[in-house]
Amino acid sequence: MARVNAALAASAIPPGSTVRLRRGRRHPGVIRPGAVGALRFESWGDEPEPPVVTAYKYVQSAACWTRAGDDLWSVDISAANVGRTHHGYVSPWTTEVGFLKVDSTFHGDRKTDVAALERDWQFRSRGSLVTVRCATNPSAGGRRVWLAVADPIVEVRSRLVIQDLAVIGTGRNAVQTTSASRTEGAVVRDCVIGEAGGALASDGVSRMGNGVQVWSGASGVLVSGNTIVDCWDSAMTIQGPGVSKGVSWSDVEFTGNTVERTMQTFEYWSTGGAERAGSSTCSVRGNRAYDAGSSWSAAIRPDKAGKGSHLLFYVDGVRPTLTVRGNVFSGAAHAYLYAHDGVPAGLTSDENTIALADSVRLQWQRAERLPEYRTWSAATGLERRSTFTSLP
């Protein structure tokens, strides 16, 4: 991936090119098409597993860790130590780690002070030093320790196609459109996306991490047929400030995706002034989402209340047209829908299948549970032709 990005920066890969990554291989790095855009990234070969593009670093042995105190171990993941203490992706701008993956278990209980590390697998990431509390060496007994570097894996630009890749292992968003320029005509299709999040936001307290994030200023974006898993926050989201010219989102479509082990299935927020009715559009159709609130972040995130929900809405400045139709939303820890400032003005949500335990709220800010779905639907105008099913 470093070779590919260097070639892109040197204009050695022209617009319209296809970059193929070999199946069954791990490709440490990120996809940065830059101003080139108009590229296709896909797989080749006959191995059963798709090519993995990842921002993980791998700590290869117990010898890579330095004792830092009683039950404390540190590893220096600076670029100078590649091949000595770790292998994997070297970001040009960050060594922040969002979470640890030990064998197949996620550990995201991050602290800002070493003194606060009280339980096994709590960690601190500061500079290039990652310090972990563990009764034994973190890599003892052949344990495989992966560190998720906080660098988005795919930066989507105009006319970019990402197809049949596994895009996993980052402390930030796995796939995101850029705020640097408008994104027009992009496709993310038939990929495995996730294992994302845990990085600190600009306030130094909040933490972040979505599967596919479409920032304002995007049009003609299709996210289709993907499997999105293990995200700190949402599997799919549109968000950002309204644009000063044009529309904020036009023809952004999430369709036919499968979502598991995330906190939310779909999120929306926007700031700024309302746009002309119907000008900004987004549809969420034919997706299948299971067990909202089952992310590895559920027990450790600072903002827990109500966040285990399939639909998550904050401020609605732009007032886009949002269509949520024909989806299966099954299981939720807290609610079907969370609406911090009320249901978005342009939301149409109907003809979905909604399966919840009887004790789970339909909307976090309201009292109705599944047995009262008719009352809730009449009060909100949502899901009037949807099918509601009780889960044990």
Side-chain angles (χ1 to χ4, degrees), residues 329-351:
F329 298 112
S330 179
H334 299 144
Y336 166 58
L337 181 151
Y338 179 103
H340 186 272
D341 291 341
V343 173
L347 175 66
T348 299
S349 192
D350 208 355
E351 298 178 11

Side-chain angles (χ1 to χ4, degrees), residues 75-372:
V75 61
D76 188 331
I77 57 171
S78 59
N81 282 332
V82 173
R84 191 174 71 84
T85 65
H86 66 283
H87 292 290
Y89 174 56
V90 177
S91 169
W93 67 278
T94 186
T95 51
E96 181 186 7
V97 168
F99 66 90
L100 318 178
K101 183 181 178 184
V102 182
D103 294 329
S104 60
T105 301
F106 297 91
H107 297 284
D109 197 356
R110 178 180 177 182
K111 306 298 182 183
T112 56
D113 195 316
V114 168
L117 303 180
E118 300 175 343
R119 295 189 298 275
D120 277 3
W121 301 113
Q122 291 178 331
F123 73 98
R124 184 190 72 167
S125 174
R126 179 173 294 176
S128 63
L129 204 64
V130 178
T131 303
V132 180
R133 185 175 185 89
C134 192
T136 59
N137 186 300
S139 297
R143 285 187 295 232
R144 299 174 63 84
V145 181
W146 302 89
L147 311 176
V149 176
D151 202 350
I153 301 175
V154 177
E155 183 181 89
V156 177
R157 294 294 184 102
S158 295
R159 296 175 297 285
L160 179 71
V161 176
I162 303 291
Q163 180 169 310
D164 193 32
L165 307 180
V167 181
I168 59 172
T170 172
R172 287 185 177 264
N173 303 316
V175 178
Q176 65 179 38
T177 65
T178 176
S179 60
S181 61
R182 294 188 66 90
T183 300
E184 300 176 347
V187 176
V188 180
R189 181 167 48 212
D190 299 335
C191 295
V192 178
I193 298 169
E195 301 189 15
L200 293 176
S202 57
D203 61 10
V205 177
S206 305
R207 297 173 70 181
M208 66 177 76
N210 300 308
V212 181
Q213 176 177 296
V214 179
W215 197 252
S216 50
S219 63
V221 177
L222 175 65
V223 180
S224 175
N226 304 287
T227 298
I228 307 175
V229 296
D230 298 312
C231 298
W232 174 277
D233 279 321
S234 298
M236 305 171 287
T237 174
I238 64 168
Q239 57 181 258
V243 299
S244 57
K245 295 182 180 179
V247 298
S248 297
W249 297 276
S250 174
D251 191 25
V252 177
E253 184 174 1
F254 300 96
T255 181
N257 302 287
T258 299
V259 176
E260 298 180 280
R261 302 186 303 277
T262 66
M263 286 304 294
Q264 303 95 30
T265 301
F266 174 72
E267 173 193 11
Y268 155 68
W269 65 263
S270 67
T271 57
E275 296 176 353
R276 178 174 54 83
S279 57
S280 281
T281 57
C282 176
S283 65
V284 181
R285 297 176 183 267
N287 303 283
R288 304 178 68 86
Y290 302 95
D291 299 327
S294 62
S295 166
W296 54 270
S297 71
I300 56 175
R301 56 189 300 128
D303 54 338
K304 298 182 180 68
K307 298 304 175 66
S309 304
H310 283 290
L311 303 181
L312 179 72
F313 303 115
Y314 290 109
V315 62
D316 180 23
V318 170
R319 299 193 173 187
T321 297
L322 304 174
T323 302
V324 180
R325 193 181 302 275
N327 304 280
V328 173
F329 298 112
S330 179
H334 299 144
Y336 166 58
L337 181 151
Y338 179 103
H340 186 272
D341 291 341
V343 173
L347 175 66
T348 299
S349 192
D350 208 355
E351 298 178 11
N352 300 296
T353 297
I354 300 166
L356 300 172
D358 287 351
S359 59
V360 172
R361 299 182 194 182
L362 290 164
Q363 184 173 331
W364 180 252
Q365 292 79 9
R366 295 179 61 95
E368 296 93 348
R369 268 70 172 177
L370 190 81
E372 294 85 43

Side-chain angles (χ1 to χ4, degrees), residues 22-42:
R22 186 166 180 174
R23 297 180 63 86
R25 301 292 179 86
R26 184 175 295 269
H27 303 269
V30 297
I31 293 176
R32 293 290 183 271
V36 176
L39 296 170
R40 176 183 291 270
F41 284 78
E42 59 184 35

